[in-house]
Amino acid sequence: AQSVAQPEDQVNVAEGNPLTVKCTYSVSGNPYLFWYVQYPNRGLQFLLKYITGDNLVKGSYGFEAEFNKSQTSFHLKKPSALVSDSALYFCAVRDTANFNKFYFGSGTKLNVKP
Amino acid sequence: DTAVSQTPKYLVTQMGNDKSIKCEQNLGHDTMYWYKQDSKKFLKIMFSYNNKELIINETVPNRFSPKSPDKAHLNLHINSLELGDSAVYFCASTRQGSEAFFGQGTRLTVV
């Protein structure tokens, strides 16, 4: 079965510090990986994706993610956190057998304190 | 211009009622979805349509019936609403190989 896991329910970081939100995946074949952000009472917004190419992917709002095949990870990172980054973050993977299907992680709440 | 729009944004209704949620996308995508987000924020796929054809039908009570009149619209009709149906329902669309675009959600509260 294909899946993603987000091992942390919550991540707390001080403003200005680097942040990492973790994601590991389990797929057969080459993964298509995504990160989304959800602000309160809003839909999910796409941040970035990895399909092929460079392992370091840059996305919206200064976020980036590193694809690591050997560790089956796709951690989301930002060098300097902002209070406005506080939100719920979801990692997702496309099903390589049924390309129309996405599997989402359980979400990680990021709290950035001033 | 809203890419994926859902109506209504909020829906409060009594148990046993029948209600519909509508979704429209103006992105020209072929595939549309309904997801359910529960109180713990877990996202679960319910249905997916590709060019008006049902392609994903997860284990969902048959009180839930999706309908896609054309590839830009995907509606969700729910019969005999139950308390446990209270959740946020998200519509999304995508084209193959690409990311999904989500609507703003419909918060359904069954009382």
Side-chain angles (χ1 to χ4, degrees), chain B:
Chain B
D1 286 340
T2 304
V4 181
S5 59
Q6 299 177 225
T7 54
K9 190 169 180 181
Y10 299 98
L11 186 52
V12 181
T13 187
Q14 290 188 325
M15 279 174 53
N17 283 352
D18 303 340
K19 289 293 178 187
S20 292
I21 308 171
K22 295 187 175 183
C23 179
E24 176 181 4
Q25 54 97 2
N26 62 5
L27 298 165
H29 290 164
D30 291 331
T31 305
M32 295 184 72
Y33 305 81
W34 280 111
Y35 280 88
K36 179 180 180 180
Q37 186 174 45
D38 62 24
S39 57
K40 294 185 178 177
K41 305 299 184 184
F42 186 70
L43 271 167
K44 182 177 165 56
I45 189 168
M46 300 173 71
F47 302 104
S48 179
Y49 272 75
N50 182 270
N51 278 323
K52 302 194 295 175
E53 182 185 343
L54 182 66
I55 56 171
I56 295 173
N57 185 351
E58 293 294 286
T59 308
V60 176
N62 58 15
R63 297 182 294 104
F64 290 78
S65 52
K67 281 206 172 81
S68 181
D70 56 61
K71 74 173 193 177
H73 294 84
L74 180 61
N75 303 324
L76 183 65
H77 188 75
I78 316 169
N79 288 327
S80 303
L81 278 154
E82 299 177 358
L83 292 176
D85 297 332
S86 295
V88 181
Y89 293 85
F90 286 102
C91 177
S93 73
T94 186
R95 64 173 183 268
Q96 198 172 50
S98 183
E99 64 273 17
F101 288 77
F102 283 79
Q104 80 276 25
T106 296
R107 183 175 294 275
L108 172 65
T109 304
V110 183
V111 297

Side-chain angles (χ1 to χ4, degrees), chain A residues 32 34 36 38 41-46 49 51 88 90 94 98-107, chain B residues 9 31 33 35 37 41-43 50 55-56 58 90 94-100 102-104 107:
Chain A
Y32 281 44
F34 305 83
Y36 290 83
Q38 184 180 25
N41 300 314
R42 302 292 297 274
L44 277 71
Q45 294 177 38
F46 168 73
K49 65 184 175 186
I51 294 177
L88 188 58
F90 290 94
R94 265 194 188 263
N98 181 346
F99 216 53
N100 290 299
K101 206 168 181 178
F102 290 86
Y103 294 96
F104 283 84
S106 52
Chain B
K9 190 169 180 181
T31 305
Y33 305 81
Y35 280 88
Q37 186 174 45
K41 305 299 184 184
F42 186 70
L43 271 167
N50 182 270
I55 56 171
I56 295 173
E58 293 294 286
F90 286 102
T94 186
R95 64 173 183 268
Q96 198 172 50
S98 183
E99 64 273 17
F102 283 79
Q104 80 276 25
R107 183 175 294 275

